[in-house]
Amino acid sequence: MADMRILLAFQDEQPGQALASGLLQAGYLPEPAGVGETVPKALEAREYAALILDLDTCDATAVLKAVRQDHDLPVIGLTARNSLEHRIESLDLGADDYLVRPFRMPELLARLRAVIRRKDGHSRSVIAHGDIELDMGARSVRQAGQWVRLTPREYQVLALLMARIGRIVGKDEIEAQVYGTADDVDSNTVEAVIYSIRKKLGRGLIDTIRGVGYVIAG
């Protein structure tokens, strides 16, 4: 069963981070990638439920062609251009849906659910690691079959780390995706959430890489 990892292909980090924060709050597991060769490489490395692609970058067309050549993956294109010609070109190249900026997050989420349903007929997924199961559809966590109560922030941080098992996630990235652009994030906020997750699920679950970030070992 495919999990709900969403690959984000954006050249500008700021819009990509804002979108990632909204997706994470909705229960998805966003994974940023620049445009260009990084997208096909990411798709070779792991499975994603969908790709959200910034169509206004210079190599977006090449990326879309490469994705369509080798992968059966739902693609939603985002653009500031609303011409009929651009819309037709993007759909002809293989985008499953198309959204013009500015847009509201609920509309993007609805379109995302629709393209995923059309592909595989389900919108629920579970990531398992050891005796821990994270259910993104229900936004819940079990350990050894028992429900574990997490706060919304704890769930979001755990989901982000489990989406990248074996890969280090930096503290700055966790802050950007979980807290967005909030100005009131204390310097030790992430550490406090990690401490609380460890207390509930075991100290050995999350490793700290000093000066770099956190990782759930594969």
Side-chain angles (χ1 to χ4, degrees):
M1 180 185 294
D3 61 40
M4 300 306 282
R5 290 186 179 91
I6 308 297
L7 187 63
L8 306 180
F10 282 77
Q11 206 158 44
D12 190 334
E13 290 186 6
Q14 193 62 34
Q17 288 181 350
L19 180 58
S21 179
L23 290 168
L24 190 61
Q25 291 175 21
Y28 293 96
L29 301 176
E31 193 161 313
V35 289
E37 295 181 1
T38 58
V39 174
K41 288 180 180 177
L43 294 177
E44 290 296 332
R46 71 194 327 164
E47 185 177 357
Y48 294 88
L51 166 67
I52 298 179
L53 174 64
D54 184 355
L55 295 173
D56 295 336
T57 58
C58 60
D59 52 358
T61 298
V63 169
L64 190 51
K65 286 181 178 179
V67 169
R68 275 293 162 257
Q69 182 176 348
D70 299 317
H71 302 278
D72 179 21
L73 179 75
V75 179
I76 294 180
L78 304 181
T79 181
R81 293 179 285 175
N82 195 24
S83 69
L84 178 61
E85 293 79 9
H86 186 59
R87 187 188 306 253
I88 292 173
E89 178 187 11
S90 300
L91 294 173
D92 283 345
L93 286 172
D96 296 275
D97 208 342
Y98 182 103
L99 208 54
V100 178
R101 301 186 184 93
F103 57 85
R104 294 183 179 273
M105 196 67 191
E107 181 181 3
L108 174 62
L109 293 174
R111 291 173 181 261
L112 185 59
R113 290 192 297 268
V115 296
I116 292 173
R117 281 198 303 269
R118 287 200 294 266
K119 178 180 182 294
D120 57 21
H122 63 79
S123 60
R124 185 180 178 210
S125 183
V126 174
I127 294 181
H129 178 71
D131 63 353
I132 296 172
E133 292 184 347
L134 185 142
D135 186 328
M136 288 165 289
R139 293 179 65 83
S140 63
V141 176
R142 290 190 185 198
Q143 185 172 39
Q146 301 297 313
W147 296 107
V148 179
R149 186 183 296 275
L150 298 181
T151 68
R153 295 300 190 197
E154 290 165 0
Y155 173 85
Q156 289 176 292
V157 172
L158 179 63
L160 182 59
L161 292 172
M162 288 191 69
R164 306 187 193 182
I165 290 173
R167 298 169 61 184
I168 300 170
V169 183
K171 177 184 173 183
D172 290 345
E173 183 176 353
I174 294 174
E175 289 179 347
Q177 293 205 30
V178 175
Y179 296 92
T181 57
D183 295 328
D184 57 348
V185 180
D186 295 333
S187 60
N188 64 345
T189 296
V190 173
E191 287 91 339
V193 173
I194 295 291
Y195 173 83
S196 183
I197 294 172
R198 285 170 172 159
K199 190 173 180 180
K200 295 178 180 180
L201 296 174
R203 294 186 57 83
L205 175 63
I206 302 172
D207 293 327
T208 300
I209 310 301
R210 292 194 178 278
V212 181
Y214 302 93
V215 61
I216 295 178

